[in-house]
Amino acid sequence: MTSIGLNITSFELALLFTLLFVAFYFIFLAYRDYRRVKNIRKLTKRVKSLMAGNYNEELRLKGDPELLELADSLNDLSDVFRLTHENLAQEKNRLSSVLSYMSDGVIATNRRGQITMINSTAQRLLNLDYETATQMSILDLLDGENPYTYSELLSKTPEIHLSRRDANDEFVTLRVNFALIRKESGFISGLVAVLHDATEQEKEERERRLFVSNVSHELRTPLTLIYAPLNRILKSLSTEDTQYLPIKAIYRQAQRMKNLINMVLDVRKMEV
């Protein structure tokens, strides 16, 4: 009986230790799962933080090596995102500074033709503020003086001339050139319009043409009056006459000047 009692006691002790071991094992599993879930939540929160643009926070975890490795990779990715974001911000500021001090106006659109960017020069030339311009399309901006559709602007990228009143309420003549915005894949994602103030050039060209036309006509009339009598006098003189050679020289110079004036007038007609 004593040996049976000892065996029962040994069995109970073994069962007790087994139950304790199982209990501690399940507690360990529950704690491990809790810590794993907690780490996963931290990872999820960090990913959402990255998506929101927070790149400075560093994630520190304790637990499974796989999750620790994933956290380290996420921290490295956060550093890459932060450096990329800083570089992009720096390039954006540099580009903004360049565009602000450009003498030409610059307008950028998206693939639907909606204006997404306009520099200060273009705002002044078109007498528009940034908010108003970014609510317009490029076709609205060119309305009345643009015979092209947006598709034709993309396919032909023509040169267009506009007449506008600038911010000083003065008439300006603008020459607009277009260029395509392409992604690396070749997909056209928008359009860039460069506005050049051609007011002074147009004014100088008009004055030049007017000057050439006036001078040519003013010279042609008296030259014709000189040329015809010289021709008659030259025909009436003999080659042995002492006045023949001087008058012939004058006649040749008058003829040469007449040819030059006719050539200038012909060029003027071709320009018109």
Side-chain angles (χ1 to χ4, degrees):
M1 293 293 294
T2 301
S3 113
I4 295 174
L6 289 173
N7 289 334
I8 292 174
T9 302
S10 299
F11 174 75
E12 290 175 346
L13 286 174
L15 182 61
L16 179 61
F17 280 121
T18 302
L19 291 175
L20 287 173
F21 174 78
V22 171
F24 279 115
Y25 180 71
F26 277 109
I27 290 173
F28 169 75
L29 291 178
Y31 175 72
R32 187 188 65 179
D33 291 342
Y34 166 76
R35 188 170 59 180
R36 181 175 294 174
V37 170
K38 186 178 180 181
N39 287 337
I40 291 175
R41 287 177 178 173
K42 287 183 178 179
L43 286 169
T44 304
K45 183 178 179 181
R46 183 67 189 117
V47 170
K48 291 181 179 180
S49 179
L50 280 175
M51 294 172 62
N54 181 12
Y55 309 123
N56 297 319
E57 190 177 317
E58 186 176 358
L59 182 62
R60 295 187 178 276
L61 299 180
K62 295 180 180 180
D64 297 340
E66 294 83 0
L67 293 179
L68 292 178
E69 184 178 353
L70 182 59
D72 290 338
S73 299
L74 198 58
N75 287 330
D76 293 339
L77 184 62
S78 177
D79 290 338
V80 172
F81 281 172
R82 178 176 55 81
L83 292 174
T84 303
H85 184 267
E86 290 176 355
N87 290 334
L88 288 175
Q90 185 178 1
E91 290 299 324
K92 181 179 179 181
N93 291 335
R94 184 182 292 113
L95 178 61
S96 178
S97 298
V98 171
L99 292 176
S100 297
Y101 289 100
M102 283 184 64
S103 59
D104 290 338
V106 180
I107 299 173
T109 74
N110 58 19
R111 61 187 182 88
R112 293 184 298 274
Q114 188 72 26
I115 295 174
T116 57
M117 189 281 298
I118 178 171
N119 71 344
S120 56
T121 304
Q123 294 177 48
R124 176 179 56 81
L125 292 174
L126 297 171
N127 195 18
L128 287 173
D129 57 73
Y130 189 87
E131 290 73 18
T132 303
T134 50
Q135 293 175 1
M136 302 170 64
S137 72
I138 191 68
L139 294 181
D140 295 332
L141 201 63
L142 305 176
D143 186 34
E145 299 177 69
N146 171 38
Y148 301 97
T149 64
Y150 185 65
S151 298
E152 289 174 335
L153 289 179
L154 293 175
S155 60
K156 298 179 180 179
T157 57
E159 180 177 288
I160 297 176
H161 289 79
L162 303 177
S163 296
R164 290 287 191 275
R165 284 186 179 271
D166 63 7
N168 299 322
D169 200 30
E170 296 179 353
F171 279 105
V172 292
T173 301
L174 304 176
R175 186 173 67 246
V176 187
N177 297 98
F178 297 92
L180 301 178
I181 302 175
R182 293 182 183 271
K183 295 183 177 180
E184 291 184 1
S185 61
F187 178 77
I188 297 175
S189 58
L191 197 64
V192 171
V194 179
L195 286 69
H196 178 70
D197 187 356
T199 306
E200 289 300 322
Q201 293 178 1
E202 290 289 331
K203 182 180 178 181
E204 291 174 0
E205 183 64 19
R206 286 195 301 269
E207 291 177 350
R208 184 189 67 81
R209 291 176 181 176
L210 181 62
F211 173 78
V212 171
S213 179
N214 289 341
V215 169
S216 299
H217 284 91
E218 291 296 328
L219 288 176
R220 190 178 190 182
T221 301
L223 188 61
T224 302
L225 296 176
I226 297 173
Y227 180 81
L230 280 174
N231 189 25
R232 288 195 299 270
I233 293 172
L234 191 62
K235 289 181 179 179
S236 66
L237 296 175
S238 65
T239 56
E240 289 81 10
D241 196 313
T242 56
Q243 300 297 321
Y244 180 81
L245 291 177
I247 292 177
K248 186 176 181 181
I250 297 172
Y251 175 78
R252 285 179 177 175
Q253 292 301 321
Q255 188 178 35
R256 181 171 175 271
M257 185 174 292
K258 181 181 178 182
N259 291 336
L260 286 174
I261 292 174
N262 289 335
M263 184 175 64
V264 170
L265 289 176
D266 290 340
V267 172
R268 172 73 176 85
K269 292 177 182 178
M270 291 174 61
E271 289 178 348
V272 175

